[in-house]
Amino acid sequence: MTKSVMDMASNSSLPTCRILLTGKNGQLGFELQRSLSVLGTVIAVDRDDCDLSDPEAIRALVAKVQPHVIVNPAAHTAVDKAESEPELAHAINSIAPQIFAEEAAKIGALLVHYSTDYVFDGTKDGWYSETDTPNPQSVYGKTKLAGELAIATANPRHLIFRTSWVFGAHGANFMKTILRLAGDREELKIIADQHGAPTAASLLADVTAHAIRQILVAEPSPTLDSPLPNLYGTYHLVAGGSTTWHGYAQTVVELAKSAGIAIKAAQILPIPASAYPLPAARPANSQLNTQKLQAAFGLCLPDWQTGVAQVMTILSEK
């Protein structure tokens, strides 16, 4: 997908675009620096450049950069830790997106933000669509939903991408944890009654660049009074297919063996989530329907196994 975005950007008559990117050192922020670079100048920041728990710091940053697009993957993503520090989680996941939305609205900028499957309670039988009623069960999920609602209220020019089970070659994630544990232990016990789609950070980044470009083409010079293209809104963005954490771990270990990575674990045993209690509740069903996204932006999303295999290739070469 990266190549197609690059081809479109190189043939575009769009003016130079200034993109403010947060969370540059996170696994998604790392990939976004690559994918967004074909669209214009990327000003990438991290927590040392701007404390997202400080609204005035956010306002000052936006005023200084004067971006055409703000892309905000930064978040308080320590799900269990959020239970014991709800104020910080609220500041970063709820208030910060609101401030970005308010400041973007003042200058007619597009805001791209990322949310989560944790906005749902996971009790639905089937795939969640964007019209299903959220019912978060954790501090993390509640603060992320509050961020969504604040953005929708403050700035109609927004894209919110709900995703799940993000992984990549850069940063910490479940895939890397399984590789480490499988190399040290003879037996792993992995939860087998939670369902979702492992989604590569590179896929998220490439789809983001594709979507931004389509909006810039539809509305290259927005004003506060110009009509809105019908591409704005909330979308589910995950890889195709579905699995459990247990199935995910099995795939990771099988691919690792094929790639020549030393694996000690001879067994990967399925266990219920109840056997591994954690401070924050996890949704048992994190399956997100992506038909709205695919139809709106003309996309076909690859199966989750494709991303896992690609990242495994990168990790095996290190």
Side-chain angles (χ1 to χ4, degrees):
M1 184 177 297
T2 303
K3 184 176 185 298
S4 65
V5 172
M6 292 178 67
D7 289 345
M8 289 188 296
S10 64
N11 294 328
S12 172
S13 59
L14 290 173
T16 300
C17 183
R18 215 163 33 253
I19 303 170
L20 174 59
L21 171 66
T22 69
K24 69 177 183 181
N25 292 320
Q27 56 184 350
L28 178 52
F30 179 83
E31 293 289 347
L32 283 164
Q33 290 182 74
R34 169 191 56 79
S35 68
L36 297 177
S37 65
V38 302
L39 299 179
T41 301
V42 179
I43 299 92
V45 301
D46 62 14
R47 67 184 66 182
D48 293 331
D49 303 303
C50 180
D51 179 1
L52 295 190
S53 67
D54 181 353
E56 293 311 310
I58 296 172
R59 295 188 195 279
L61 176 65
V62 176
K64 178 182 178 181
V65 175
Q66 289 291 301
H68 302 95
V69 182
I70 299 171
V71 182
N72 181 43
H76 187 300
T77 56
V79 176
D80 293 315
K81 198 173 181 181
E83 296 295 313
S84 60
E85 49 185 32
E87 296 83 4
L88 181 60
H90 178 70
I92 297 175
N93 293 345
S94 306
I95 301 301
Q98 176 183 337
I99 303 302
F100 274 123
E102 291 172 354
E103 295 306 302
K106 291 177 183 178
I107 56 178
L110 166 67
L111 174 62
V112 181
H113 182 72
Y114 302 85
S115 192
T116 174
D117 53 303
Y118 280 67
V119 301
F120 298 113
D121 58 22
T123 61
K124 180 178 179 177
D125 182 15
W127 300 73
Y128 280 99
S129 70
E130 291 83 353
T131 57
D132 285 319
T133 302
N135 185 29
Q137 300 296 299
S138 64
V139 169
Y140 172 67
K142 291 173 182 177
T143 57
K144 291 297 287 183
L145 178 60
E148 288 187 17
L149 297 175
I151 289 170
T153 299
N155 184 6
R157 289 186 172 84
H158 68 264
L159 291 173
I160 296 172
F161 294 128
R162 289 178 182 152
T163 191
S164 70
W165 300 17
V166 180
F167 67 94
H170 178 84
N173 52 64
F174 178 83
M175 180 177 178
K176 287 186 175 181
T177 298
I178 290 299
L179 285 175
R180 175 176 55 81
L181 294 177
D184 295 337
R185 303 180 185 179
E186 294 182 354
E187 179 182 279
L188 301 181
K189 296 180 179 179
I190 308 296
I191 292 172
D193 56 358
Q194 293 174 350
H195 301 261
T199 303
S202 58
L203 175 63
L204 290 171
D206 288 342
V207 170
T208 297
H210 177 82
I212 289 173
R213 189 189 181 282
Q214 285 199 216
I215 284 182
L216 294 179
V217 168
E219 192 181 23
S221 300
T223 68
L224 297 180
D225 298 322
S226 61
L228 298 175
N230 59 10
L231 295 176
Y232 292 122
T234 298
Y235 296 89
H236 290 171
L237 170 48
V238 293
S242 176
T243 188
T244 64
W245 292 110
H246 178 261
Y248 182 11
Q250 285 184 312
T251 297
V252 168
V253 169
E254 289 167 4
L255 288 172
K257 289 177 179 177
S258 297
I261 296 175
I263 296 296
K264 186 176 181 180
Q267 294 189 85
I268 304 177
L269 303 177
I271 61 170
S274 59
Y276 191 64
L278 293 166
R282 268 73 170 167
N285 176 17
S286 290
Q287 297 175 114
L288 303 180
N289 185 310
T290 61
Q291 289 305 307
K292 177 184 175 183
L293 173 84
Q294 295 188 68
F297 294 101
L299 294 169
C300 182
L301 299 176
D303 288 342
W304 63 269
Q305 295 96 327
T306 300
V308 175
Q310 290 173 340
V311 171
M312 186 65 71
T313 297
I314 295 171
L315 294 177
S316 66
E317 294 173 349
K318 288 187 175 181

